[in-house]
Amino acid sequence: MQRKGTEVKQLSLFDALNKPAIFPTGGTGERNLTGAELLSQLERQRILTGNLLEAVVDYGNLHKAYQRVYKNGGSEGIDQMKVKELGEWLQKNFKTIREEVLQERYQPEAVRKVMIPKPNGGERMLGIPTVKDRLLQQSIHQILNRYYDPLFSESSYGFRQGRSAHQAIERACTYIASCKEWVVDIDLEKFFDKVNHDRLMQRLSKGIGDKRLLRLIKTYLKTGIMAEGLVEQRTAGTPQGSPLSPLLSNIVLDELDKELEKRGHDFCRYADDCNIYVGSKKAGERVMESLIKFIEQKLKLKVNRKKSGVRHCSTAKFLGYTLLPGGNVRVSDVSIKRFKDKVREITKRNRGVKFEQVIRELNTVITGWTNYFHLANRWLSTIRDIDGWIRRKLRCYRLKQLGRKYTIFKFLRGLGIPENTSWNVVMYSGGWWNMSKKRAVGKAMGITWFAQLGLQSVLQQITR
C-alpha cells in the first residue's frame, strides 16, 4: 500500500539525502547551534521527513545496510540465521519485507541476551538481534544519521564517521594545556540499560515527521530479551549489540552536550564517557553538583556517584589514557593492567600451543594495543619494562615446553651457552619462573633471538 503523494515527496527526499549536509551549521560546521537554532532546524527537518520510511526500505539503502552487517559479522540471533545467509535471504524477500515495513506489519523478534565480563569486574549485557533485524536497524541508522549527525556537538566523538577516540584525546589535551587541569568525570550508571524510552521518543518526534518510522523505532525499543527460552519485556534502555543503539545514545546525550555548551564549558564526550575540564577543584565540584541534578532530573538517567568525581588530570583516565599537565599523555594504569592480563592469558604455560603460534597471537594483541595507544609520549620506561616482562613470560613458556632438564640443557647449548653454565641453570633454578630470569637464559633467548622469531616490540611499535 502506498500513500497518495508518496512518490513525489520521495524523490525530493532522496535529492535532499544526496547532499553532503542538510544543515551546515551543525556538528560538522564552524560553530555549535544555539537552542533556538536547533529547534528551528529540527522543525525544518520534521517537515522534510514525512515519508522517511520509504527511504529506509529503499533497495540501495538496504543493500548498503547489508554490506555493513556482513562486514561487522557477529553471532546469530534467536532464529539461528547466520550473517552469511542474509544476502540470499534479502534477494528472495526484499519485496516482502519492504511491504511489511511500509504497511506496519513487520514484527521484530526478541533479542538474544548475552552476558560478558567487564574488565573491572561485573558483567555487561549484550542484546543480539537477529540478522534480519540488524539489517533493518542498520538501514534506519543510515538514514537518521544523515539528519542528526550534522546537528551534534563538536565535542561529541563517539560512534560518528570521521571522528575518533584519538581526536577526543587530542582535544582534551588542548584544554589541559590551557591550565584547565581539573576533570569533572561523569560516569553514567548502566547507561545503555537505563535510557528512558518516553524521553527518547519525544526527542525523535521533534525532528522526524514520519510517524510510521517512529512507531517502528519504538517497537524495536520495546522488543523483549530472550534468556534461557524466556522473553523478558523491556521498559528502558537500548541494549548494546543493536546497530541503532549508538545513534540513539548520541541523540539522548546530545541534550547533555547542548546544556554544557550553553553553560560555556570545555568538554569531550565519547559515547557515555564525558569529561569536563575546569580550572580548579572548587569549580569542578560546583559543576559536578549541578550536572548531576540536570542528568537525573531532566534526562532521567542515573549517575554512578562512586565512580564519578572531580580529579586532577594526572589521576584521572579518559578513553584508556591519563592526560598530564601541559597536555602530555601516558597510558593509564588500568589500560596497562588489562594489556598484561591479555598477555598472561596467551602465555599460560599449560596451553599446549606451539611457541610460534603464541608469538603470532601476542603480535596481534601488541599491534592492536600500540595502534590505539600511539599518542602516549610520557612514562615510556613503563612500556619498555613491559617488553622485558613479555620476553620473560615467553622464556618461561618455552622452558616449560622443553620440559626435561636434559632437553633444556641441549637447548641452551644450541644457543651458545657454555656447558657448565647450562648445567647450573637446569640443576639449581627451582622452577620455570626462576629459571626464566637466569642471566644465561636471558642471553640465550635475548632480544635478537625473539626478533628473529618475529616478536613485535611494544616500545618500538608505540613510538614508531
Side-chain angles (χ1 to χ4, degrees):
M1 183 184 298
Q2 191 175 55
R3 297 193 295 177
K4 186 177 180 181
T6 294
E7 185 176 355
V8 174
K9 291 181 181 179
Q10 188 177 349
L11 288 172
S12 62
L13 173 63
F14 288 140
D15 289 340
L17 287 174
N18 286 327
K19 294 179 180 178
I22 298 171
F23 305 125
T25 56
T28 55
E30 296 180 355
R31 63 184 179 86
N32 293 308
L33 293 169
T34 66
E37 288 173 329
L38 177 61
L39 289 174
S40 174
Q41 299 285 35
L42 287 173
E43 177 62 25
R44 288 175 53 203
Q45 177 174 295
R46 191 168 64 83
I47 294 170
L48 274 173
T49 54
N51 292 294
L52 199 58
L53 196 59
E54 278 77 12
V56 168
V57 291
D58 172 73
Y59 180 78
N61 188 56
L62 279 173
H63 180 67
K64 182 180 176 182
Y66 161 72
Q67 291 177 317
R68 173 61 62 136
V69 171
Y70 186 84
K71 181 179 179 181
N72 290 343
S75 57
E76 59 271 18
I78 64 170
D79 67 349
Q80 300 298 305
M81 180 187 287
K82 300 182 185 301
V83 171
K84 64 183 180 182
E85 301 169 335
L86 181 60
E88 184 179 349
W89 179 89
L90 182 60
Q91 284 185 335
K92 293 178 179 177
N93 295 277
F94 166 68
K95 290 184 178 179
T96 301
I97 194 170
R98 186 175 188 277
E99 288 176 4
E100 287 182 353
V101 171
L102 291 177
Q103 295 173 16
E104 299 188 77
R105 292 188 288 108
Y106 182 80
Q107 288 297 320
E109 297 186 78
V111 300
R112 182 165 62 87
K113 183 177 181 179
V114 177
M115 303 301 294
I116 60 172
K118 290 183 178 181
N120 56 350
E123 290 184 315
R124 174 184 290 112
M125 188 194 78
L126 291 183
I128 310 297
T130 65
V131 291
K132 292 179 288 186
D133 284 322
R134 296 213 289 271
L135 172 73
L136 271 178
Q137 289 192 41
Q138 178 63 33
S139 188
I140 294 170
H141 178 285
Q142 289 166 183
I143 297 300
L144 289 188
N145 194 58
R146 298 185 185 187
Y147 286 90
Y148 279 98
D149 191 82
L151 301 177
F152 289 151
S153 168
E154 284 285 346
S155 298
S156 168
Y157 293 89
F159 308 131
R160 299 182 64 191
Q161 188 173 359
R163 287 173 169 260
S164 67
H166 290 149
Q167 291 174 332
I169 294 297
E170 288 168 345
R171 173 66 67 87
C173 284
T174 65
Y175 296 144
I176 292 173
S178 66
C179 297
K180 293 191 174 181
E181 296 181 2
W182 287 91
V183 183
V184 181
D185 185 1
I186 300 289
D187 186 277
L188 298 176
E189 188 174 293
K190 296 183 177 179
F191 168 72
F192 284 92
D193 299 333
K194 300 287 187 181
V195 170
N196 185 283
H197 289 173
D198 292 337
R199 277 197 57 78
L200 173 56
M201 292 309 303
Q202 181 186 43
R203 191 157 180 82
L204 285 171
S205 67
K206 290 179 180 179
I208 300 298
D210 195 327
K211 289 183 170 53
R212 298 168 300 162
L213 178 55
L214 292 173
R215 285 192 288 267
L216 179 58
I217 293 172
K218 188 173 183 179
T219 302
Y220 272 121
L221 290 174
K222 300 291 185 184
T223 299
I225 300 175
M226 179 173 284
E228 298 180 355
L230 298 176
V231 177
E232 307 169 5
Q233 293 305 311
R234 192 164 75 237
T235 58
T238 59
Q240 295 182 71
S242 155
L244 199 50
S245 288
L247 176 60
L248 295 180
S249 69
N250 270 337
I251 292 172
V252 169
L253 291 175
D254 187 58
E255 260 189 288
L256 174 61
D257 297 343
K258 295 298 187 287
E259 180 68 17
L260 291 171
E261 289 168 357
K262 185 174 74 174
R263 299 183 186 189
H265 291 308
D266 290 329
F267 70 98
C268 291
R269 182 177 66 79
Y270 192 96
D272 59 334
D273 198 347
C274 183
N275 280 0
I276 302 103
Y277 299 89
V278 296
S280 69
K281 184 176 183 180
K282 189 174 181 180
E285 289 169 347
R286 288 197 303 269
V287 171
M288 170 71 78
E289 184 179 352
S290 63
L291 281 181
I292 287 177
K293 290 180 181 177
F294 176 81
I295 291 168
E296 295 190 340
Q297 295 176 11
K298 184 78 181 292
L299 302 186
K300 307 299 182 186
L301 297 170
K302 182 72 173 173
V303 175
N304 187 329
R305 285 168 169 78
K306 291 183 179 179
K307 294 184 178 180
S308 301
V310 180
R311 305 176 177 95
H312 191 261
C313 61
S314 59
T315 62
K317 66 181 180 68
F318 182 47
L319 302 177
Y321 285 91
T322 291
L323 311 184
L324 303 174
N328 292 311
V329 183
R330 73 174 179 89
V331 182
S332 74
D333 295 337
V334 173
S335 298
I336 289 175
K337 179 183 180 302
R338 291 176 184 173
F339 174 70
K340 293 180 81 170
D341 286 343
K342 288 182 181 178
V343 173
R344 288 188 182 97
E345 283 293 317
I346 293 172
T347 58
K348 277 184 177 178
R349 296 194 291 275
N350 59 357
R351 285 189 70 199
V353 174
K354 288 184 178 180
F355 193 62
E356 293 76 13
Q357 181 179 333
V358 171
I359 289 180
R360 286 196 297 270
E361 291 178 16
L362 277 175
N363 282 343
T364 299
V365 171
I366 289 170
T367 300
W369 195 81
T370 54
N371 281 345
Y372 181 77
F373 286 106
H374 75 267
L375 294 180
N377 58 10
R378 289 294 183 272
W379 289 33
L380 295 180
S381 59
T382 303
I383 307 300
R384 184 184 62 241
D385 292 343
I386 290 175
D387 266 332
W389 176 78
I390 289 174
R391 288 193 294 270
R392 187 176 174 191
K393 294 288 289 184
L394 285 170
R395 291 182 191 115
C396 197
Y397 188 96
R398 186 71 182 105
L399 291 170
K400 173 69 164 53
Q401 272 191 326
L402 293 169
R404 297 173 60 190
K405 292 181 179 180
Y406 184 68
T407 308
I408 296 172
F409 167 78
K410 288 178 62 179
F411 175 76
L412 294 176
R413 290 287 294 123
L415 292 175
I417 304 302
E419 182 175 339
N420 287 342
T421 305
S422 298
W423 273 123
N424 285 335
V425 167
V426 299
M427 297 302 294
Y428 303 110
S429 292
W432 308 117
W433 187 245
N434 285 333
M435 189 182 295
S436 69
K437 72 176 181 180
K438 293 292 184 181
R439 181 177 297 179
V441 173
K443 183 178 180 181
M445 293 183 277
I447 295 175
T448 302
W449 185 77
F450 279 114
Q452 289 172 346
L453 292 175
L455 178 66
Q456 299 288 342
S457 162
V458 179
L459 182 61
Q460 289 180 4
Q461 288 285 98
I462 213 167
T463 58
R464 69 187 187 280

